[in-house]
Amino acid sequence: MLKDIKDYSAEEVGLFITAQGLDPTPFVSEGVDGDLLLSLSIDDLKNDLGLSSLQAKKVMKNIEFSKSLAGGGGGEDDEKVKELEAKVETLEDDVKAKDDEIAELKRKMEKMTTAVAPAQAPTPAPKPAPAPAPPQRRGPGVVGGAARGAAGGAMKGAIAGAILPGMDASDGAKAGAAVGATTGGLRGIRGRRRFG
């Protein structure tokens, strides 16, 4: 609940005035607390505290609004709140009754399902699908053999080129790749004849 304006200190009145976009200096310097603020008229606000007519009306309107908030609203609002609370309570009772009814229906349905289940014959389990035949192993083929041979030959040639005097690793790799590709391709052709 909000603090009642009559209990505001002079500093709190200054904050109240600042919140309205007005200069609080005259209020604070004159020591206007909440009790005094409530006793001021529009003329007092204009003449003693230097507000314009519009500013004074704004302050008075906001005082009335704040008083209604601090007082908890009018009796009419209290009646509406009580009426709504009664409706909520009735609806909660209705929901609880429906929940109980649903629980009872679920119990009945479970009993019926249990009674019907033994009368039915169990369904046979489906037979598993036959396992696929293992694939026949084939050789790498001509292209695969050539690629494997080229890679292996390049590695061997690079090593040989790095070791042998007068030859560098790149030349050895090129020569090894050529020889490896040729021998790998020939192996692939032989493998094709064997599996073909």
Side-chain angles (χ1 to χ4, degrees):
M1 193 158 220
L2 295 175
K3 185 175 184 178
D4 199 339
I5 290 182
K6 70 178 173 142
D7 298 326
Y8 281 9
S9 66
E11 290 79 20
E12 290 171 323
V13 168
L15 291 173
F16 177 75
I17 297 300
T18 302
Q20 297 175 55
L22 301 173
D23 180 20
T25 306
F27 291 85
V28 175
S29 65
E30 293 293 331
V32 177
D33 61 6
D35 196 39
L36 181 57
L37 181 65
L38 291 175
S39 68
L40 296 176
S41 67
I42 289 182
D43 288 333
D44 294 333
L45 291 171
K46 290 186 331 188
N47 298 332
D48 296 337
L49 296 168
L51 297 181
S52 69
S53 294
L54 188 60
Q55 291 172 331
K57 287 179 183 178
K58 181 178 181 180
V59 169
M60 294 304 284
K61 182 177 178 184
N62 286 326
I63 289 171
E64 290 303 315
F65 177 72
S66 296
K67 283 186 346 187
S68 72
L69 289 178
E76 185 178 313
D77 288 340
D78 290 341
E79 288 178 28
K80 285 182 181 178
V81 168
K82 287 180 183 176
E83 184 180 316
L84 289 174
E85 286 175 344
K87 283 183 180 179
V88 167
E89 191 174 327
T90 302
L91 290 172
E92 286 174 343
D93 291 341
D94 290 347
V95 168
K96 185 179 180 332
K98 292 294 181 188
D99 286 343
D100 292 342
E101 186 179 337
I102 289 170
E104 180 61 29
L105 289 172
K106 282 182 178 179
R107 281 191 292 275
K108 287 180 180 179
M109 190 169 75
E110 189 175 310
K111 285 180 183 177
M112 292 172 68
T113 306
T114 307
V116 172
Q120 296 176 344
T123 56
K127 293 181 182 180
Q136 288 187 352
R137 187 174 163 115
R138 299 195 69 184
V142 177
V143 175
R148 274 190 190 168
M155 183 177 71
K156 290 175 187 173
I159 293 171
I163 294 173
L164 295 175
M167 188 173 188
D168 67 358
S170 67
D171 289 337
K174 290 176 192 172
V179 171
T182 303
T183 56
L186 291 173
R187 281 190 199 127
I189 290 173
R190 263 189 264 132
R192 182 183 275 179
R193 286 186 190 150
R194 192 172 354 142
F195 289 108

